[in-house]
Amino acid sequence: MRPIQMVDLKEQYLHIKDEVDAAIHQVLDTTAFIGGKAVQDFTSNLAAFTGARHVIPCANGTDALQIAMMALGLQPGDEVITPSFTYIATTEVVALLKLKPVFVEVDPQTFCIDPVAIEQAITPRTKAIVPVHLYGQSAPMEAILDIARRHDLYVIEDNAQAIGATYTFSDGTVKQTGTMGTIGTTSFFPSKNLGCYGDGGAIFTDDDALADKLRMIANHGQKVRYYHEVVGCNSRLDTIQAAILDVKLKRLNDYIAARQQVAAAYNQAFAGHPAITTPKVTEGNAHVYHQYTLQLEGVDRDGLQQYLAARSIPSMIYYPVPAHRQRMFTDLGAGGEDLPVTDWLTQRVISLPIHTEMLPEHIELITSGVLSYIEHTKPQS
Ligand SMILES: *Cc1c(COP(=O)(O)O)cnc(C)c1O
């Protein structure tokens, strides 16, 4: 049996090798390494897939967030509300642009930003909300968009973990994550649900003027070559990555289904266990399970990780230190909020392997490993 990995990129590649290799060779033949045809093909296919009017490719998911905030004209000191329970990139760019991150709580069951906490954190300086569709499930966008409308705020969806996930509004409208806010951003880091073989990212918007601006900022602030209208940056998705992504985009729905099957098997194995809380999916959401994350009650998490590791079963803690406790912020005088739910989750969560090439034997080994450790150790007081 293949070893268990958090993500098995090699096995996935072997299944699509002929097509990927041909796509790469086609780029090599044209030598159009930057701005080649595959970039245009992939971005228009991604627009069709997501339903976004504009897809602007860029170099990675962190740049996507930064370019989004630059395009919205946010000024130093403007406040941006984000969850603390997220990958650092979401909040790092806020500080990089000298904006003020305001960290708020997440829902303890879905791990996504809590709309009540957003509303409480709004001040006259608040300019934007950055919901994160954490682990592959949409944040509660209807409530977030309603708050944004009432307070005239921008919404930047950090969709790095949830491409292909959907959200259902109360009127029945179904939308993909990343296409509901003012701007959506995503990452094509290799281990993401739609990953390339290097770095990549994209920005989504339905606003024509904003799309122009995003494109211009990602390209040294120019629309016409050598005429620079605004301060921008250099952030490109290269042609080889776009060609690979186009091959994988055709399979994204299958990849999502494969992840959902793994999650369903895990849910079944852990159902009703008093020490384990399985991920909650909000009604109307299609979760794409970038991560499958359990919460443990009264279990020695380090001990469990060591026990699993001794059986060649990897596991991860996403994330061991929440943003509001990171020195990069506290040294700036930011962070330090009182976020008991976030701190509590940080102590409880554990993510199990989940990817598109998992075998039933893998799932069996992982679930029996987790359950036997919990049943054979005494609960911690
Ligand atoms: C991966 C990730 C990013 C950053 O993407 P990169 O391509 O690595 O820059 C941003 N936000 C979240 C939530 C992520 O998981």
Side-chain angles (χ1 to χ4, degrees):
M1 190 183 63
R2 292 183 249 128
I4 302 175
Q5 299 181 62
M6 289 301 289
V7 180
D8 194 342
L9 295 176
K10 180 68 183 286
E11 192 65 25
Q12 190 189 60
Y13 166 62
L14 292 176
H15 282 98
I16 55 175
K17 184 177 187 314
D18 290 348
E19 220 177 310
V20 167
D21 290 3
I24 292 173
H25 276 107
Q26 207 171 347
V27 180
L28 295 179
D29 283 339
T30 62
T31 65
F33 298 119
I34 296 294
K37 182 173 174 296
V39 179
Q40 188 50 53
D41 290 349
F42 168 64
T43 45
S44 44
N45 289 336
L46 188 59
F49 181 91
T50 56
R53 191 170 157 87
H54 302 279
V55 175
I56 296 103
C58 65
N60 57 66
T62 310
D63 274 10
L65 287 158
Q66 181 187 325
I67 294 163
M69 289 177 203
M70 289 169 75
L72 292 171
L74 303 187
Q75 296 299 316
D78 285 351
E79 293 178 8
V80 177
I81 296 175
T82 85
S84 174
F85 195 70
T86 181
Y87 182 56
I88 198 65
T90 315
T91 56
E92 179 183 32
V93 296
V94 177
L96 184 71
L97 296 173
K98 307 244 182 293
L99 313 172
K100 182 172 180 235
V102 175
F103 299 109
V104 303
E105 287 284 31
V106 291
D107 178 307
Q109 290 190 297
T110 63
F111 309 104
C112 286
I113 196 165
D114 176 0
V116 174
I118 294 174
E119 191 121 37
Q120 286 166 350
I122 291 172
T123 76
R125 299 225 61 171
T126 307
K127 287 286 156 47
I129 307 167
V130 186
V132 181
H133 305 306
L134 200 73
Y135 301 151
Q137 170 166 224
S138 180
M141 289 307 293
E142 184 152 352
I144 293 167
L145 293 172
D146 178 58
I147 293 168
R149 246 188 315 271
R150 283 190 281 109
H151 295 273
D152 197 20
L153 306 175
Y154 298 120
V155 175
I156 303 167
E157 298 174 70
D158 183 345
N159 194 33
Q161 300 191 0
I163 194 140
T166 56
Y167 176 85
T168 309
F169 288 82
S170 53
D171 69 358
T173 310
V174 178
K175 285 228 169 182
Q176 285 214 11
T177 51
T179 69
M180 295 174 272
T182 323
I183 298 179
T185 65
T186 200
S187 163
F188 304 124
F189 185 78
S191 64
K192 300 284 156 103
N193 285 22
L194 179 60
C196 58
Y197 293 176
D199 274 309
I203 310 167
F204 304 85
T205 188
D206 284 346
D207 182 318
D208 297 346
L210 205 45
D212 271 357
K213 207 154 177 208
L214 290 161
R215 246 181 258 285
M216 181 167 73
I217 290 170
N219 184 27
H220 296 294
Q222 63 189 341
K223 272 187 218 155
V224 179
R225 207 172 193 183
Y226 304 127
Y227 292 81
H228 304 274
E229 298 176 32
V230 295
V231 174
C233 57
N234 171 22
S235 190
R236 301 186 276 238
L237 179 69
D238 70 69
T239 316
I240 287 180
Q241 300 309 334
I244 294 163
L245 286 165
D246 215 20
V247 173
K248 291 182 70 173
L249 179 61
K250 283 186 266 176
R251 293 166 173 84
L252 183 55
N253 281 328
D254 293 339
Y255 288 157
I256 289 170
R259 287 173 177 275
Q260 288 170 336
Q261 268 178 21
V262 175
Y266 279 148
N267 284 342
Q268 197 178 6
F270 299 131
H273 197 291
I276 299 174
T277 304
T278 55
K280 183 189 160 189
V281 183
T282 306
E283 203 189 322
N285 277 3
H287 195 317
V288 297
Y289 293 102
H290 175 59
Q291 299 298 340
Y292 182 88
T293 303
L294 297 174
Q295 295 182 51
L296 303 171
E297 180 67 47
V299 175
D300 171 6
R301 188 174 64 175
D302 290 345
L304 172 60
Q305 283 202 286
Q306 283 160 22
Y307 179 90
L308 294 174
R311 282 153 189 76
S312 303
I313 300 169
S315 61
M316 293 291 284
I317 309 304
Y318 300 116
Y319 294 91
V321 183
H324 76 291
R325 294 193 179 280
Q326 297 285 354
R327 255 192 74 187
M328 65 189 283
F329 294 121
T330 53
D331 278 5
L332 291 172
E337 283 91 346
D338 184 27
L339 302 176
V341 173
T342 295
D343 288 336
W344 183 73
L345 286 176
T346 299
Q347 301 300 316
R348 285 164 61 89
V349 290
I350 183 168
S351 298
L352 300 179
I354 190 162
H355 56 76
T356 57
E357 317 296 326
M358 273 175 80
L359 302 169
E361 299 92 298
H362 289 154
I363 298 171
E364 166 55 28
L365 276 173
I366 295 162
T367 54
S368 61
V370 171
L371 291 170
S372 69
Y373 177 80
I374 293 176
E375 270 142 40
H376 294 103
T377 51
K378 285 210 179 70
Q380 287 191 313
S381 55

